[in-house]
Amino acid sequence: MPLPKLPSKPATILATQDYPTAGAARPATKTPAAKKVAAPIIEAAIAEVAKPVRNAATKIKQVAALMVAKPAPAPAVAAPAAKAKPAAKGKVTPIKPAKQAEQPHPAKHKPVEVQLKSSASRAADQRGISKLFVLDTNVLMHDPSSLFRFEEHDVYLPMMTLEELDNHKKGMTEVARNARQVSRTLDALISNTDDDAIEHGILLSKLGNKDAKGRLFFQTRLQSADLPAGLPVGKADNQILAVVRSLESEQEGRPVVLVSKDINMRIKARALGLPAEDYFNDHVLEDTDLLYSGIVQLPDDFWNKHGKDMESWQESKNGYSSTFYRVTGPFIPSLLVNQFIYLEPKNGETPFYGQVKQINGKTAVLQTLRDFSHTKNNVWGVTARNREQNFALNLLMNPECDFVTLLGQAGTGKTLLALAAGLAQVLETKLYNEIIVTRVTVPVGEDIGFLPGTEEEKMSPWMGAFDDNLEVLNKSDSDGGEWGRAATQDLIRSRIKIKSLNFMRGRTFVNKFLIIDEAQNLTPKQVKTLVTRAGPGTKILCLGNIAQIDTPYLTEGSSGLTYVVDRFKGWTHSGHVTLARGERSRLADHASEVL
């Protein structure tokens, strides 16, 4: 029954008492302040003593006068702290330690771009000079569109780069497809172009890429450069390094930078005194600590600042009654739709857990969550053991949420929660027809191998994690005995299909519960291929840990999982949670900390 206002409910949550804040621990800062005051005193005393003094009596008088005169200002330094203490108590401090733990630390982490760029490249940026980038082959095979990612700068392709592209164009792998795509792009660029244009550079904006304002240069003549004796001349990397050194001598005053995804190639170039840097245009984030976590802690004074004209009502949806709050205030613009919020008062009051459902300027609609940590709300016998798992189950059990991403270290419960939610919605509520499980087999896109059997039997060695979790979920049913558990296991197995990523192209899944495990090993293009397989009524889950990437040339910032988390944040029908606490066992938790 809808209620226009619930003054009693918010009264328990919207407590007006001052919560313990960082201001309560401020007296501890007197010690550093005292040290700051004492340090100049001691230094000045030493300096005074060290001065050449004619008389020992004069020296003693100077030191005594200094030590007597200097302690006097100490109360003046402590006085503002004493005055500021009541002010800090009456006014809630805007930044709190807990909030700092949830949000990124911009002061601690420097942008990766500063570390990746070479000194010559940074100097050219300061002077506003366009650079000449020499591309290694692995950059083009990693990102076929990298030719158009260098803005106003020019791109140079050595002949050895084209030779290596030709050697890698055969096959059905992702690398071979990228090599063929680059070849087609280069063919389109040089078509209807005379030899003089090739010599003086081809406009990269010729194919409609307006952001690419530079030119493309090919190696049209043999360029020789003196490399250290002993380096094999016939090796492709050394020939590219020779081209970079030759270009530096030919184009004096213009920075020439080698771009390569090969770490050893960059190290060799820097050892030879050549500017080299990584290709970081494919990085979704420069600092993975800035990755969207899906969770934010509310400041302690949130209800004081946002509860003035608050409205509250109740709605019953999907068999569960939720309370909604419409609040307005300055903190709202920093939130995103479907982001989880929480407030845990330290004075023993009831904590508040909610989810942002709508945002309009400085006004937001917040919805309370279903408590999956209670046994009555268990999902296939599984209950949430911590705050983040409760948030994740609210996303997994929400039929309005079509795309869910879960990040977390090993043992945080990603696979177990996903399987439990899938079984509950396939076998109990029958919201989906079946569960489709797929996992990245590194290298992705290659043939499954010489394993015997059908597609599912070939994939079974990669699915050990799912078998372990199914065994845990099946043990929770103890009423039917051994025969009952065996029958349940057969029923579960019949509704779970294991598929390979190799055969996903062109498919459409309707009313399926699709779980993609180890998604951190996917490239952004592969993730796009998988997510676009979703038909009507399909829910897709991407699980992974970006700290465990096995695919070559893929990093935390350029992973496909990082890509979808960043691009889907704020969409009404998607959600993300970063699981932080391991729940596997005390042994596993301790091992992850000390090993």
Side-chain angles (χ1 to χ4, degrees):
M1 174 177 175
L3 299 176
K5 287 191 177 182
L6 295 175
S8 59
K9 179 70 176 177
T12 58
I13 300 176
L14 313 179
T16 57
Q17 290 88 351
D18 294 329
Y19 299 130
T21 61
R26 291 291 172 85
T29 59
K30 291 181 180 179
T31 304
K35 286 183 179 180
K36 289 182 179 179
V37 175
I41 297 173
I42 297 171
E43 291 177 2
I46 295 173
E48 288 292 326
V49 173
K51 286 181 180 180
V53 184
R54 297 178 182 177
N55 196 311
T58 309
K59 186 189 299 183
I60 296 172
K61 288 180 182 179
Q62 288 178 351
V63 176
L66 183 65
M67 297 302 290
V68 171
K70 290 292 183 181
V77 175
K83 276 187 178 178
K85 188 177 178 182
K89 189 176 181 181
K91 239 182 186 182
V92 180
T93 51
I95 300 174
K96 300 169 182 62
K99 185 178 177 183
Q100 286 180 348
E102 289 293 328
Q103 294 191 356
H105 308 272
K108 180 187 283 188
H109 301 279
K110 296 181 180 179
V112 178
E113 184 178 354
V114 177
Q115 300 174 354
L116 288 176
K117 281 191 175 182
S118 59
S119 58
S121 185
R122 292 197 298 268
D125 290 339
Q126 294 175 357
R127 295 163 56 191
I129 303 175
S130 66
K131 293 167 279 190
L132 180 62
F133 287 106
V134 181
L135 299 191
D136 195 4
T137 315
N138 47 52
V139 175
L140 297 172
M141 292 189 298
H142 174 73
D143 183 7
S145 62
S146 58
L147 288 170
F148 311 104
R149 304 288 189 185
F150 292 94
E151 299 176 345
E152 75 277 7
H153 307 290
D154 296 335
V155 176
Y156 189 94
L157 293 183
M159 197 57 65
M160 185 51 64
T161 297
L162 300 177
E163 190 74 22
E164 287 188 311
L165 277 176
D166 185 65
N167 294 335
H168 288 88
K169 69 181 181 181
K170 297 178 182 178
M172 298 301 296
T173 63
E174 187 74 16
V175 171
R177 283 193 291 266
N178 290 344
R180 292 193 293 268
Q181 179 63 36
V182 173
S183 300
R184 286 190 290 267
T185 303
L186 293 176
D187 181 59
L189 283 171
I190 65 174
S191 61
N192 301 324
T193 304
D194 54 10
D195 296 338
D196 293 337
I198 294 179
E199 182 70 26
H200 296 89
I202 304 170
L203 288 174
L204 288 169
S205 58
K206 178 181 177 181
L207 301 181
N209 299 277
K210 297 181 180 180
D211 294 335
K213 301 176 182 178
R215 292 177 177 269
L216 173 64
F217 293 90
F218 291 94
Q219 183 183 359
T220 57
R221 62 185 184 276
L222 181 63
Q223 292 171 320
S224 59
D226 296 331
L227 289 177
L231 283 179
V233 181
K235 194 171 182 180
D237 289 356
N238 296 335
Q239 294 187 29
I240 295 175
L241 292 175
V243 170
V244 175
R245 173 161 286 185
S246 177
L247 288 173
E248 271 194 335
S249 59
E250 289 179 5
Q251 304 190 21
E252 294 183 2
R254 187 182 188 190
V256 179
V257 181
L258 172 66
V259 180
S260 176
K261 297 290 294 181
D262 188 355
I263 298 176
N264 293 330
M265 178 75 160
R266 297 199 301 269
I267 294 174
K268 191 186 296 185
R270 298 300 292 272
L272 296 175
L274 301 175
E277 58 188 49
D278 189 10
Y279 175 70
F280 48 84
N281 199 283
D282 61 333
H283 289 194
V284 181
L285 294 173
E286 295 179 350
D287 193 345
T288 51
D289 289 334
L290 304 178
L291 183 63
Y292 174 64
S293 66
I295 306 170
V296 65
Q297 182 183 12
L298 299 177
D300 288 348
D301 61 345
F302 178 80
W303 295 116
N304 295 336
K305 292 184 177 180
H306 299 74
K308 184 177 180 182
D309 299 324
M310 183 186 66
E311 301 177 20
S312 58
W313 67 94
Q314 285 184 337
E315 290 183 8
S316 182
K317 200 172 184 180
N318 301 322
Y320 173 69
S321 180
S322 301
T323 304
F324 292 81
Y325 303 99
R326 181 177 284 110
V327 295
T328 304
F331 191 75
I332 300 302
S334 64
L335 300 176
L336 292 171
V337 176
N338 278 350
Q339 189 174 23
F340 290 98
I341 56 177
Y342 72 94
L343 179 60
E344 297 176 340
K346 300 176 183 177
N347 55 3
E349 292 189 1
T350 305
F352 174 77
Y353 302 104
Q355 188 179 19
V356 181
K357 303 306 292 184
Q358 294 178 10
I359 293 181
N360 185 10
K362 291 188 176 182
T363 303
V365 175
L366 311 179
Q367 178 187 4
T368 58
L369 300 179
R370 190 174 182 181
D371 184 15
F372 284 99
S373 62
H374 200 281
T375 311
K376 68 176 182 180
N377 294 327
N378 71 85
V379 179
W380 203 262
V382 174
T383 56
R385 292 189 178 183
N386 54 53
R387 180 179 60 224
E388 288 79 15
Q389 286 190 358
N390 188 31
F391 293 161
L393 284 174
N394 274 274
L395 284 178
L396 295 173
M397 299 301 293
N398 183 7
E400 298 295 326
C401 193
D402 301 332
F403 184 74
V404 178
T405 51
L406 298 180
L407 261 68
Q409 302 292 331
T412 51
K414 303 183 296 295
T415 307
L416 183 66
L417 296 177
L419 271 178
L423 292 174
Q425 294 175 90
V426 168
L427 297 176
E428 291 180 356
T429 62
K430 294 180 171 54
L431 190 62
Y432 306 101
N433 294 336
E434 63 181 1
I435 301 175
I436 296 180
V437 178
T438 184
R439 180 171 178 163
V440 180
T441 57
V442 180
V444 183
E446 293 284 353
D447 190 7
I448 295 178
F450 300 97
L451 298 173
T454 61
E455 177 188 356
E456 291 199 8
E457 291 174 345
K458 288 175 181 289
M459 288 295 295
S460 59
W462 301 95
M463 295 298 166
F466 286 92
D467 293 336
D468 297 340
N469 286 281
L470 282 176
E471 186 178 351
V472 172
L473 294 173
N474 197 26
K475 280 184 178 179
S476 61
D477 185 16
S478 57
D479 297 335
E482 288 293 331
W483 290 99
R485 279 199 298 270
T488 304
Q489 189 170 4
D490 292 340
L491 176 63
I492 291 174
R493 293 282 183 181
S494 65
R495 305 305 290 271
I496 296 179
K497 304 296 182 183
I498 300 174
K499 300 295 181 183
S500 173
L501 290 175
N502 304 58
F503 315 111
M504 288 293 185
R505 192 180 297 276
R507 297 198 61 179
T508 301
F509 298 113
V510 180
N511 292 332
K512 308 295 184 186
F513 194 87
L514 177 60
I515 302 176
I516 305 172
D517 197 18
E518 303 293 340
Q520 76 275 3
N521 286 320
L522 291 170
T523 64
K525 184 181 291 186
Q526 291 169 336
V527 167
K528 180 181 178 181
T529 302
L530 289 175
V531 176
T532 52
R533 301 303 99 211
T538 293
K539 191 187 191 83
I540 295 184
L541 277 65
C542 286
L543 318 177
N545 176 17
I546 58 175
Q548 297 177 348
I549 296 179
D550 304 316
T551 306
Y553 304 131
L554 212 58
T555 60
E556 296 180 3
S558 61
S559 170
L561 184 56
T562 308
Y563 180 73
V564 292
V565 169
D566 187 68
R567 294 302 174 92
F568 273 89
K569 64 181 180 183
W571 187 45
T572 311
H573 301 288
S574 70
H576 168 71
V577 172
T578 299
L579 302 173
R581 181 179 170 186
E583 298 290 350
R584 180 168 288 167
S585 68
R586 59 189 179 189
L587 173 60
D589 294 342
H590 183 68
S592 62
E593 293 176 3
V594 300
L595 296 181

mmCIF file of all heavy atoms in Angstrom, residues 160-191:
data_model
loop_
_atom_site.group_PDB
_atom_site.id
_atom_site.type_symbol
_atom_site.label_atom_id
_atom_site.label_comp_id
_atom_site.label_asym_id
_atom_site.label_seq_id
_atom_site.Cartn_x
_atom_site.Cartn_y
_atom_site.Cartn_z
ATOM 1 N N MET A 160 60.338 -3.236 -42.244
ATOM 2 C CA MET A 160 60.325 -4.481 -41.481
ATOM 3 C C MET A 160 58.986 -4.685 -40.772
ATOM 4 O O MET A 160 58.531 -5.823 -40.595
ATOM 5 C CB MET A 160 61.482 -4.473 -40.466
ATOM 6 C CG MET A 160 61.631 -5.780 -39.699
ATOM 7 S SD MET A 160 61.697 -7.251 -40.742
ATOM 8 C CE MET A 160 63.206 -6.954 -41.651
ATOM 9 N N THR A 161 58.322 -3.596 -40.379
ATOM 10 C CA THR A 161 56.987 -3.712 -39.786
ATOM 11 C C THR A 161 56.002 -4.288 -40.794
ATOM 12 O O THR A 161 55.186 -5.163 -40.467
ATOM 13 C CB THR A 161 56.512 -2.332 -39.288
ATOM 14 O OG1 THR A 161 57.381 -1.887 -38.252
ATOM 15 C CG2 THR A 161 55.098 -2.408 -38.752
ATOM 16 N N LEU A 162 56.054 -3.819 -42.034
ATOM 17 C CA LEU A 162 55.171 -4.362 -43.078
ATOM 18 C C LEU A 162 55.509 -5.817 -43.361
ATOM 19 O O LEU A 162 54.620 -6.637 -43.617
ATOM 20 C CB LEU A 162 55.300 -3.526 -44.349
ATOM 21 C CG LEU A 162 54.941 -2.044 -44.216
ATOM 22 C CD1 LEU A 162 55.191 -1.314 -45.527
ATOM 23 C CD2 LEU A 162 53.504 -1.871 -43.786
ATOM 24 N N GLU A 163 56.803 -6.154 -43.298
ATOM 25 C CA GLU A 163 57.212 -7.543 -43.536
ATOM 26 C C GLU A 163 56.654 -8.470 -42.455
ATOM 27 O O GLU A 163 56.169 -9.576 -42.751
ATOM 28 C CB GLU A 163 58.742 -7.613 -43.557
ATOM 29 C CG GLU A 163 59.311 -8.940 -44.031
ATOM 30 C CD GLU A 163 59.181 -9.136 -45.538
ATOM 31 O OE1 GLU A 163 59.038 -8.130 -46.253
ATOM 32 O OE2 GLU A 163 59.199 -10.293 -45.974
ATOM 33 N N GLU A 164 56.705 -8.035 -41.198
ATOM 34 C CA GLU A 164 56.175 -8.865 -40.105
ATOM 35 C C GLU A 164 54.660 -8.964 -40.168
ATOM 36 O O GLU A 164 54.082 -9.992 -39.811
ATOM 37 C CB GLU A 164 56.623 -8.296 -38.761
ATOM 38 C CG GLU A 164 58.096 -8.522 -38.460
ATOM 39 C CD GLU A 164 58.450 -8.124 -37.050
ATOM 40 O OE1 GLU A 164 58.073 -7.008 -36.637
ATOM 41 O OE2 GLU A 164 59.101 -8.919 -36.346
ATOM 42 N N LEU A 165 53.998 -7.887 -40.604
ATOM 43 C CA LEU A 165 52.550 -7.966 -40.791
ATOM 44 C C LEU A 165 52.191 -9.037 -41.816
ATOM 45 O O LEU A 165 51.220 -9.784 -41.646
ATOM 46 C CB LEU A 165 52.003 -6.609 -41.253
ATOM 47 C CG LEU A 165 51.708 -5.558 -40.191
ATOM 48 C CD1 LEU A 165 51.261 -4.266 -40.845
ATOM 49 C CD2 LEU A 165 50.662 -6.039 -39.207
ATOM 50 N N ASP A 166 52.972 -9.119 -42.870
ATOM 51 C CA ASP A 166 52.707 -10.117 -43.905
ATOM 52 C C ASP A 166 52.909 -11.530 -43.372
ATOM 53 O O ASP A 166 52.207 -12.459 -43.772
ATOM 54 C CB ASP A 166 53.629 -9.849 -45.101
ATOM 55 C CG ASP A 166 53.326 -10.763 -46.271
ATOM 56 O OD1 ASP A 166 52.218 -10.657 -46.836
ATOM 57 O OD2 ASP A 166 54.187 -11.598 -46.603
ATOM 58 N N ASN A 167 53.856 -11.688 -42.454
ATOM 59 C CA ASN A 167 54.116 -13.025 -41.910
ATOM 60 C C ASN A 167 53.026 -13.485 -40.948
ATOM 61 O O ASN A 167 52.887 -14.696 -40.717
ATOM 62 C CB ASN A 167 55.466 -13.038 -41.184
ATOM 63 C CG ASN A 167 56.634 -12.820 -42.134
ATOM 64 O OD1 ASN A 167 56.540 -13.104 -43.330
ATOM 65 N ND2 ASN A 167 57.740 -12.296 -41.615
ATOM 66 N N HIS A 168 52.274 -12.562 -40.375
ATOM 67 C CA HIS A 168 51.267 -12.917 -39.371
ATOM 68 C C HIS A 168 49.835 -12.868 -39.899
ATOM 69 O O HIS A 168 48.891 -13.001 -39.117
ATOM 70 C CB HIS A 168 51.370 -11.973 -38.167
ATOM 71 C CG HIS A 168 52.580 -12.198 -37.321
ATOM 72 N ND1 HIS A 168 53.779 -11.578 -37.574
ATOM 73 C CD2 HIS A 168 52.797 -12.988 -36.233
ATOM 74 C CE1 HIS A 168 54.680 -11.961 -36.681
ATOM 75 N NE2 HIS A 168 54.112 -12.810 -35.857
ATOM 76 N N LYS A 169 49.645 -12.676 -41.178
ATOM 77 C CA LYS A 169 48.289 -12.480 -41.705
ATOM 78 C C LYS A 169 47.531 -13.781 -41.897
ATOM 79 O O LYS A 169 46.316 -13.754 -42.098
ATOM 80 C CB LYS A 169 48.350 -11.726 -43.030
ATOM 81 C CG LYS A 169 48.955 -12.521 -44.174
ATOM 82 C CD LYS A 169 49.004 -11.720 -45.456
ATOM 83 C CE LYS A 169 49.582 -12.559 -46.593
ATOM 84 N NZ LYS A 169 49.657 -11.775 -47.847
ATOM 85 N N LYS A 170 48.203 -14.922 -41.848
ATOM 86 C CA LYS A 170 47.548 -16.192 -42.107
ATOM 87 C C LYS A 170 47.060 -16.806 -40.802
ATOM 88 O O LYS A 170 47.731 -16.733 -39.786
ATOM 89 C CB LYS A 170 48.505 -17.156 -42.810
ATOM 90 C CG LYS A 170 48.956 -16.665 -44.183
ATOM 91 C CD LYS A 170 49.939 -17.642 -44.813
ATOM 92 C CE LYS A 170 50.416 -17.127 -46.165
ATOM 93 N NZ LYS A 170 51.406 -18.031 -46.793
ATOM 94 N N GLY A 171 45.886 -17.411 -40.875
ATOM 95 C CA GLY A 171 45.341 -18.081 -39.698
ATOM 96 C C GLY A 171 44.012 -17.473 -39.281
ATOM 97 O O GLY A 171 43.527 -16.484 -39.851
ATOM 98 N N MET A 172 43.395 -18.071 -38.233
ATOM 99 C CA MET A 172 42.091 -17.625 -37.735
ATOM 100 C C MET A 172 42.188 -16.996 -36.359
ATOM 101 O O MET A 172 41.189 -16.782 -35.697
ATOM 102 C CB MET A 172 41.122 -18.811 -37.684
ATOM 103 C CG MET A 172 40.846 -19.444 -39.032
ATOM 104 S SD MET A 172 40.138 -18.278 -40.221
ATOM 105 C CE MET A 172 38.582 -17.914 -39.410
ATOM 106 N N THR A 173 43.404 -16.707 -35.919
ATOM 107 C CA THR A 173 43.567 -16.126 -34.598
ATOM 108 C C THR A 173 43.207 -14.646 -34.625
ATOM 109 O O THR A 173 43.067 -14.025 -35.688
ATOM 110 C CB THR A 173 45.005 -16.298 -34.105
ATOM 111 O OG1 THR A 173 45.883 -15.585 -34.984
ATOM 112 C CG2 THR A 173 45.393 -17.766 -34.086
ATOM 113 N N GLU A 174 43.087 -14.062 -33.428
ATOM 114 C CA GLU A 174 42.797 -12.636 -33.317
ATOM 115 C C GLU A 174 43.946 -11.807 -33.884
ATOM 116 O O GLU A 174 43.713 -10.766 -34.524
ATOM 117 C CB GLU A 174 42.559 -12.282 -31.844
ATOM 118 C CG GLU A 174 42.090 -10.856 -31.605
ATOM 119 C CD GLU A 174 40.643 -10.655 -31.996
ATOM 120 O OE1 GLU A 174 39.919 -11.655 -32.160
ATOM 121 O OE2 GLU A 174 40.240 -9.490 -32.153
ATOM 122 N N VAL A 175 45.174 -12.262 -33.685
ATOM 123 C CA VAL A 175 46.333 -11.540 -34.221
ATOM 124 C C VAL A 175 46.305 -11.534 -35.742
ATOM 125 O O VAL A 175 46.566 -10.510 -36.388
ATOM 126 C CB VAL A 175 47.637 -12.179 -33.696
ATOM 127 C CG1 VAL A 175 48.851 -11.597 -34.404
ATOM 128 C CG2 VAL A 175 47.766 -11.980 -32.193
ATOM 129 N N ALA A 176 45.975 -12.680 -36.346
ATOM 130 C CA ALA A 176 45.911 -12.755 -37.806
ATOM 131 C C ALA A 176 44.803 -11.868 -38.363
ATOM 132 O O ALA A 176 44.980 -11.197 -39.387
ATOM 133 C CB ALA A 176 45.704 -14.207 -38.239
ATOM 134 N N ARG A 177 43.676 -11.841 -37.694
ATOM 135 C CA ARG A 177 42.572 -10.974 -38.149
ATOM 136 C C ARG A 177 42.975 -9.507 -38.062
ATOM 137 O O ARG A 177 42.661 -8.709 -38.957
ATOM 138 C CB ARG A 177 41.319 -11.241 -37.317
ATOM 139 C CG ARG A 177 40.595 -12.512 -37.700
ATOM 140 C CD ARG A 177 39.216 -12.563 -37.061
ATOM 141 N NE ARG A 177 39.303 -12.741 -35.623
ATOM 142 C CZ ARG A 177 39.252 -13.917 -35.016
ATOM 143 N NH1 ARG A 177 39.145 -15.030 -35.742
ATOM 144 N NH2 ARG A 177 39.321 -14.014 -33.705
ATOM 145 N N ASN A 178 43.655 -9.138 -36.997
ATOM 146 C CA ASN A 178 44.098 -7.744 -36.865
ATOM 147 C C ASN A 178 45.118 -7.387 -37.937
ATOM 148 O O ASN A 178 45.102 -6.273 -38.473
ATOM 149 C CB ASN A 178 44.689 -7.516 -35.475
ATOM 150 C CG ASN A 178 43.640 -7.557 -34.383
ATOM 151 O OD1 ASN A 178 42.438 -7.464 -34.659
ATOM 152 N ND2 ASN A 178 44.064 -7.702 -33.149
ATOM 153 N N ALA A 179 46.029 -8.319 -38.249
ATOM 154 C CA ALA A 179 47.025 -8.057 -39.289
ATOM 155 C C ALA A 179 46.355 -7.847 -40.644
ATOM 156 O O ALA A 179 46.739 -6.946 -41.417
ATOM 157 C CB ALA A 179 48.029 -9.209 -39.352
ATOM 158 N N ARG A 180 45.353 -8.655 -40.933
ATOM 159 C CA ARG A 180 44.640 -8.472 -42.208
ATOM 160 C C ARG A 180 43.876 -7.154 -42.233
ATOM 161 O O ARG A 180 43.795 -6.485 -43.269
ATOM 162 C CB ARG A 180 43.694 -9.648 -42.444
ATOM 163 C CG ARG A 180 44.406 -10.962 -42.707
ATOM 164 C CD ARG A 180 43.438 -12.009 -43.248
ATOM 165 N NE ARG A 180 42.449 -12.396 -42.252
ATOM 166 C CZ ARG A 180 42.600 -13.412 -41.409
ATOM 167 N NH1 ARG A 180 43.737 -14.119 -41.431
ATOM 168 N NH2 ARG A 180 41.659 -13.731 -40.558
ATOM 169 N N GLN A 181 43.311 -6.764 -41.072
ATOM 170 C CA GLN A 181 42.594 -5.494 -41.010
ATOM 171 C C GLN A 181 43.536 -4.314 -41.245
ATOM 172 O O GLN A 181 43.191 -3.360 -41.956
ATOM 173 C CB GLN A 181 41.902 -5.356 -39.643
ATOM 174 C CG GLN A 181 41.147 -4.059 -39.435
ATOM 175 C CD GLN A 181 39.999 -3.899 -40.403
ATOM 176 O OE1 GLN A 181 39.339 -4.876 -40.748
ATOM 177 N NE2 GLN A 181 39.755 -2.681 -40.866
ATOM 178 N N VAL A 182 44.731 -4.371 -40.665
ATOM 179 C CA VAL A 182 45.711 -3.304 -40.886
ATOM 180 C C VAL A 182 46.109 -3.234 -42.355
ATOM 181 O O VAL A 182 46.236 -2.149 -42.933
ATOM 182 C CB VAL A 182 46.948 -3.527 -39.987
ATOM 183 C CG1 VAL A 182 48.047 -2.533 -40.325
ATOM 184 C CG2 VAL A 182 46.572 -3.391 -38.521
ATOM 185 N N SER A 183 46.300 -4.397 -42.986
ATOM 186 C CA SER A 183 46.676 -4.417 -44.402
ATOM 187 C C SER A 183 45.589 -3.780 -45.263
ATOM 188 O O SER A 183 45.890 -3.022 -46.202
ATOM 189 C CB SER A 183 46.939 -5.857 -44.848
ATOM 190 O OG SER A 183 47.996 -6.430 -44.097
ATOM 191 N N ARG A 184 44.338 -4.076 -44.949
ATOM 192 C CA ARG A 184 43.247 -3.463 -45.723
ATOM 193 C C ARG A 184 43.202 -1.950 -45.509
ATOM 194 O O ARG A 184 42.926 -1.182 -46.433
ATOM 195 C CB ARG A 184 41.915 -4.106 -45.329
ATOM 196 C CG ARG A 184 41.723 -5.505 -45.867
ATOM 197 C CD ARG A 184 40.306 -5.985 -45.663
ATOM 198 N NE ARG A 184 40.014 -6.241 -44.270
ATOM 199 C CZ ARG A 184 40.137 -7.434 -43.678
ATOM 200 N NH1 ARG A 184 40.576 -8.470 -44.394
ATOM 201 N NH2 ARG A 184 39.839 -7.605 -42.413
ATOM 202 N N THR A 185 43.462 -1.509 -44.265
ATOM 203 C CA THR A 185 43.467 -0.071 -43.986
ATOM 204 C C THR A 185 44.593 0.638 -44.740
ATOM 205 O O THR A 185 44.389 1.707 -45.326
ATOM 206 C CB THR A 185 43.614 0.171 -42.478
ATOM 207 O OG1 THR A 185 42.569 -0.499 -41.783
ATOM 208 C CG2 THR A 185 43.548 1.653 -42.159
ATOM 209 N N LEU A 186 45.775 0.030 -44.749
ATOM 210 C CA LEU A 186 46.895 0.629 -45.468
ATOM 211 C C LEU A 186 46.639 0.658 -46.970
ATOM 212 O O LEU A 186 46.999 1.624 -47.663
ATOM 213 C CB LEU A 186 48.182 -0.158 -45.172
ATOM 214 C CG LEU A 186 48.704 -0.088 -43.731
ATOM 215 C CD1 LEU A 186 49.918 -0.995 -43.565
ATOM 216 C CD2 LEU A 186 49.059 1.337 -43.343
ATOM 217 N N ASP A 187 45.993 -0.379 -47.479
ATOM 218 C CA ASP A 187 45.674 -0.402 -48.908
ATOM 219 C C ASP A 187 44.705 0.711 -49.268
ATOM 220 O O ASP A 187 44.835 1.347 -50.325
ATOM 221 C CB ASP A 187 45.092 -1.771 -49.269
ATOM 222 C CG ASP A 187 44.748 -1.877 -50.744
ATOM 223 O OD1 ASP A 187 45.649 -1.707 -51.582
ATOM 224 O OD2 ASP A 187 43.562 -2.097 -51.067
ATOM 225 N N ALA A 188 43.737 0.961 -48.389
ATOM 226 C CA ALA A 188 42.785 2.042 -48.650
ATOM 227 C C ALA A 188 43.453 3.413 -48.565
ATOM 228 O O ALA A 188 43.068 4.347 -49.280
ATOM 229 C CB ALA A 188 41.626 1.960 -47.658
ATOM 230 N N LEU A 189 44.464 3.537 -47.701
ATOM 231 C CA LEU A 189 45.141 4.828 -47.570
ATOM 232 C C LEU A 189 46.014 5.157 -48.785
ATOM 233 O O LEU A 189 46.090 6.315 -49.215
ATOM 234 C CB LEU A 189 46.007 4.835 -46.301
ATOM 235 C CG LEU A 189 45.279 5.031 -44.968
ATOM 236 C CD1 LEU A 189 46.215 4.789 -43.797
ATOM 237 C CD2 LEU A 189 44.689 6.435 -44.873
ATOM 238 N N ILE A 190 46.686 4.162 -49.339
ATOM 239 C CA ILE A 190 47.603 4.439 -50.445
ATOM 240 C C ILE A 190 46.935 4.341 -51.809
ATOM 241 O O ILE A 190 47.577 4.624 -52.827
ATOM 242 C CB ILE A 190 48.809 3.474 -50.406
ATOM 243 C CG1 ILE A 190 48.361 2.028 -50.632
ATOM 244 C CG2 ILE A 190 49.558 3.598 -49.088
ATOM 245 C CD1 ILE A 190 49.521 1.048 -50.746
ATOM 246 N N SER A 191 45.665 3.938 -51.864
ATOM 247 C CA SER A 191 44.993 3.871 -53.160
ATOM 248 C C SER A 191 44.789 5.281 -53.709
ATOM 249 O O SER A 191 44.541 6.232 -52.960
ATOM 250 C CB SER A 191 43.641 3.154 -53.010
ATOM 251 O OG SER A 191 42.802 3.859 -52.117
#
